[in-house]
Amino acid sequence: PRPQRPWGDFPVDFWVQLVVGLLAWTIAAGVWSFRSADPAARYLLVCGFCTLLFAPLAAVYSTRELALPAQQFRWLCDFNFFGGAVYAGAMMALLWYYPRRLGRLAPGPPVLVLYAAWWLAQQLRLLDDMVLARRSLVFVALLGTFWLATLQWRRSRADPVARAALQWFLLSWVVGISLFSM
């Protein structure tokens, strides 16, 4: 490996992940700038920031042909997981508020604290099993978002504007995440 690598040598996958992170942050910040008092916009902003955090970090280690030093790889993976964990919590909070608030409770802050605490417990090796420490957290968030999306779908059946907004949001979310994952 050379100490300096020309920008043109980086693979397309690297650039795609950087662009995804930047676009997610820019779009979320744009929505928030026009609707800063809206809790859904705040949680979208958190999702955008988390994407800006996890996508470029993953770009560094997932597009290399050679290994990284162990400590650097660990740091990149851990903060990538932090971004993903908080993203998952923020997405659940977002679906509580968008397109219509589901109840009087404000579960967003506790959910974000729970997901950040879960990450911290994993960092402190209180949860050292990969299935429990990382995969179950993502699976619980996935089930939570499906459940909240279903609740939003049912609640919006008499409100065509909310239903259309939810359809576009869910379509862009599913397509965006699917394309990024591929």
Side-chain angles (χ1 to χ4, degrees):
R2 298 181 304 221
Q4 295 292 334
R5 187 174 183 184
W7 290 103
D9 282 358
F10 288 96
V12 172
D13 304 12
F14 176 83
W15 296 109
V16 166
Q17 291 180 72
L18 291 183
V19 168
V20 164
L22 187 59
L23 281 176
W25 169 247
T26 304
I27 291 168
V31 170
W32 176 80
S33 69
F34 288 103
R35 302 184 69 160
S36 60
D38 184 354
R42 285 194 296 261
Y43 290 111
L44 181 64
L45 184 66
V46 173
C47 287
F49 177 75
C50 288
T51 305
L52 181 63
L53 180 64
F54 69 70
L57 292 176
V60 173
Y61 66 80
S62 67
T63 61
R64 293 181 57 90
E65 62 279 346
L66 295 174
L68 289 166
Q71 191 58 35
Q72 184 182 8
F73 179 69
R74 176 75 187 204
W75 182 85
L76 289 166
C77 286
D78 289 347
F79 282 97
N80 170 275
F81 177 61
F82 174 77
V86 175
Y87 175 92
M91 183 56 77
M92 287 195 306
L94 172 59
L95 281 168
W96 179 266
Y97 292 102
Y98 188 81
R100 299 282 182 248
R101 189 176 183 141
L102 291 174
R104 292 182 188 201
L105 294 175
V111 167
L112 291 181
V113 168
L114 173 69
Y115 273 69
W118 192 295
W119 175 81
L120 184 61
Q122 187 263 333
Q123 288 301 108
L124 296 172
R125 303 276 191 260
L126 301 175
L127 303 169
D128 207 25
D129 176 41
M130 182 62 86
V131 172
L132 178 64
R134 293 194 177 190
R135 293 188 179 115
S136 62
L137 181 73
V138 173
F139 186 69
V140 166
L142 184 64
L143 290 176
T145 56
F146 285 154
W147 176 67
L148 289 165
T150 301
L151 288 176
Q152 286 285 7
W153 188 261
R154 288 182 181 158
R155 292 249 176 121
S156 66
R157 81 176 127 232
D159 184 354
V161 174
R163 176 66 64 95
L166 183 63
Q167 279 179 309
W168 279 108
F169 175 75
L170 293 176
L171 177 66
S172 64
W173 177 51
V174 169
V175 169
I177 288 176
S178 298
L179 289 174
F180 182 72
S181 296
M182 284 191 277

